[in-house]
Amino acid sequence: MTRPAHQPHDPGDQPVPTDGGPGQSPTDGEAVPSPAPHATATAPPDDLIYEHGPGRRVYYTAHQRRVDITALGRLALALPAFLMSSLVVLLMSAVLDGCLGLPLWLPAVLWLASGALVFHRPTEDLLARYLLRLRRPTPQEAARLEPVWREVTALAGVDAAPYQLWIEESEDLNAYAAAGHIVGVTRFALEQLPSAQLAAVLAHELGHHTGGHAWSSLLSHWYGLPGRAVWRLLRATARHIVTPARCAVYLTIGALLLAIGGLGHTATAVLYGLPLLLLLPYVSAALGRRAELRADRHAAALGFAPKLAEVLETMHAHEIRARQTALAVMGERVERESTPTRLLSTHPDFPTRLHHLRHYL
C-alpha cells in the first residue's frame, strides 16, 4: 500500500522498490503524517475476531503464490533495461576475460543466477535492515503483530511461517511488502491502529506477495542495476571532464553512451514499438496503480473491506488536513497535481481506492 517515489524516468535514480502501506502520497513517496504522532498510554483495541486461533485447523490453498497480470506487465516493461544491463555485463565479462582470464560466460551466468537472492533469507535480512531501514519486532510488538498476521494468512489459506515481520521506526501510518518474504509496518501503525484495521493493512500487503507484485518489482529493479550504474557513471564523468585535452575521453564516453542508448532504444522499439517507448513511464505507473487496486481487492475478498476503507478514509482526512496546515502556515494554496503528475503516480488517490472498495462494503 505504500507509494514509492516515482521520479522522472532517470535510469540512475531509482529507489529499491517496495509495495505496501496505506499512508503515502501518490507522487512524492513520503507517507502522509499522522495528526498526533505521540504514543498513547493505552493500547489500541483488539477488535479482530480470531477464527483460526491456537488449536484450530487451517486449510492452505494449493498455490501459495501466483503471478497476476500486473506482475507480468512489470516484468515485460523491464525487458529493455534488462537488455541494456546484459550488454554492460557482457562488456565487463570481456574485460575480465582479458585481464584475469575468467571465462567470458561466468560473470553473465552469475549475474543471471543472482536474481534468486530475492528469496534468500540472509539476503532479505540485509535488504530489510540496511536498505529499507527496518528492524525486528520487540517481544511486546511481536505479541501483538504475529496473532493478527496469522489470522490474516489463515483466512487467505497461506502459510504464515515463510514470511518475516519487520518494524519501521516511523510516526507515519504505513506498511511494506518487499522481496520474497518481507512484510513491514511502521511503529505508529502497530501502536495506533485497532487490530481489525491492522489486519486489513496486512491483508493488503499479503495481496502484494501472493500476486507476485513484490518480487517482480524487485527483480525488475535488480536486473536493471548494471545499466543504471553505467548511466550514472557516464553522466558523472561527463560533468567533471571539462578540459580540451580530454576530448578522447569525451568521444569514448559518447560512443559508449550512444551504444547503450541505441541498444535500449532499439530493443524497446522492437519489443513494444516506438509509440510505447515514449509512454513507457506512464504504462509502468499505471501497472503500479493497478497492483494497488488488486491488493485492495485481495484484502476486501478476505472480509476486510470495511476496515480497509476506514484506514483509507483516515489517511485521506490527514492528507486534506496537511494541505490546510500548509495553507495556514505558508499563506498560499497548495496547487493541485497536474495531469502528467497524476499519470506518473504509482498509487491511485484515496477517493479512487475507496470507490473500488465500495462494491465490497
Side-chain angles (χ1 to χ4, degrees):
M1 257 195 274
T2 56
R3 301 180 176 223
H6 195 97
Q7 302 294 337
H9 201 60
D10 181 355
D13 302 315
Q14 296 198 12
V16 175
T18 60
D19 293 279
Q24 284 195 330
S25 162
T27 55
D28 59 8
E30 297 180 357
V32 177
S34 306
H38 57 274
T40 58
T42 59
D46 188 6
D47 55 351
L48 180 62
I49 300 176
Y50 296 91
E51 300 178 358
H52 302 83
R56 300 292 296 274
R57 185 181 298 273
V58 177
Y59 296 93
Y60 294 148
T61 59
H63 301 286
Q64 296 284 290
R65 295 176 184 266
R66 65 183 188 277
V67 183
D68 65 21
I69 188 63
T70 58
L72 289 175
R74 186 168 291 175
L75 291 174
L77 291 178
L79 280 177
F82 171 76
L83 293 177
M84 291 177 62
S85 295
S86 299
L87 175 63
V88 172
V89 172
L90 289 176
L91 291 175
M92 293 177 59
S93 301
V95 172
L96 293 176
D97 183 28
C99 297
L100 304 178
L102 293 177
L104 184 63
W105 53 268
L106 183 59
V109 170
L110 292 177
W111 175 65
L112 290 174
S114 66
L117 294 177
V118 170
F119 299 97
H120 183 235
R121 296 305 179 82
T123 305
E124 285 188 328
D125 285 350
L126 294 175
L127 174 67
R129 293 179 188 276
Y130 299 107
L131 292 182
L132 300 180
R133 304 296 182 183
L134 306 178
R135 62 169 175 80
R136 291 292 192 178
T138 64
Q140 294 80 5
E141 292 169 338
R144 175 155 195 266
L145 184 59
E146 290 177 356
V148 177
W149 175 246
R150 285 197 300 267
E151 180 64 22
V152 169
T153 54
L155 286 172
V158 173
D159 186 7
Y163 294 94
Q164 299 175 337
L165 300 175
W166 296 83
I167 303 296
E168 181 192 16
E169 281 293 337
S170 173
E171 298 293 348
D172 301 313
L173 201 168
N174 213 346
Y176 304 93
H181 308 92
I182 295 175
V183 177
V185 297
T186 59
R187 181 171 53 81
F188 179 88
L190 185 63
E191 294 178 350
Q192 303 298 323
L193 288 183
S195 295
Q197 291 187 6
L198 180 62
V201 171
L202 292 176
H204 175 100
E205 304 311 326
L206 181 61
H208 281 307
H209 276 299
T210 59
H213 309 157
W215 66 262
S216 65
S217 177
L218 186 55
L219 280 181
S220 301
H221 181 83
W222 172 252
Y223 282 123
L225 275 179
R228 287 195 296 271
V230 170
W231 177 271
R232 296 189 67 173
L233 177 63
L234 294 177
R235 191 176 59 180
T237 305
R239 283 200 299 261
H240 289 87
I241 298 177
V242 293
T243 59
R246 299 180 180 179
C247 289
V249 181
Y250 266 121
L251 294 176
T252 303
I253 292 175
L256 186 57
L257 185 62
L258 287 175
I260 295 177
L263 177 65
H265 178 277
T266 303
T268 306
V270 171
L271 290 171
Y272 307 113
L274 184 59
L276 190 57
L277 176 63
L278 303 176
L279 298 176
L280 197 60
Y282 297 95
V283 176
S284 178
L287 284 174
R289 294 193 296 271
R290 179 56 56 182
E292 291 301 318
L293 294 177
R294 282 179 172 267
D296 284 349
R297 187 170 65 186
H298 178 270
L302 297 180
F304 294 110
K307 294 302 179 180
L308 183 59
E310 290 177 5
V311 175
L312 295 177
E313 288 170 351
T314 300
M315 299 314 302
H316 190 208
H318 294 171
E319 186 179 61
I320 295 175
R321 190 176 298 114
R323 292 177 179 175
Q324 293 174 343
T325 302
L327 175 63
V329 172
M330 300 172 60
E332 59 183 22
R333 186 176 302 275
V334 178
E335 295 183 0
R336 295 179 60 88
E337 295 174 346
S338 63
T339 299
T341 300
R342 290 196 301 270
L343 292 177
L344 286 173
S345 169
T346 57
H347 276 55
D349 56 27
F350 293 121
T352 299
R353 297 174 69 177
L354 289 168
H355 172 76
H356 283 269
L357 283 177
R358 184 184 60 182
H359 305 290
Y360 297 90
L361 298 177

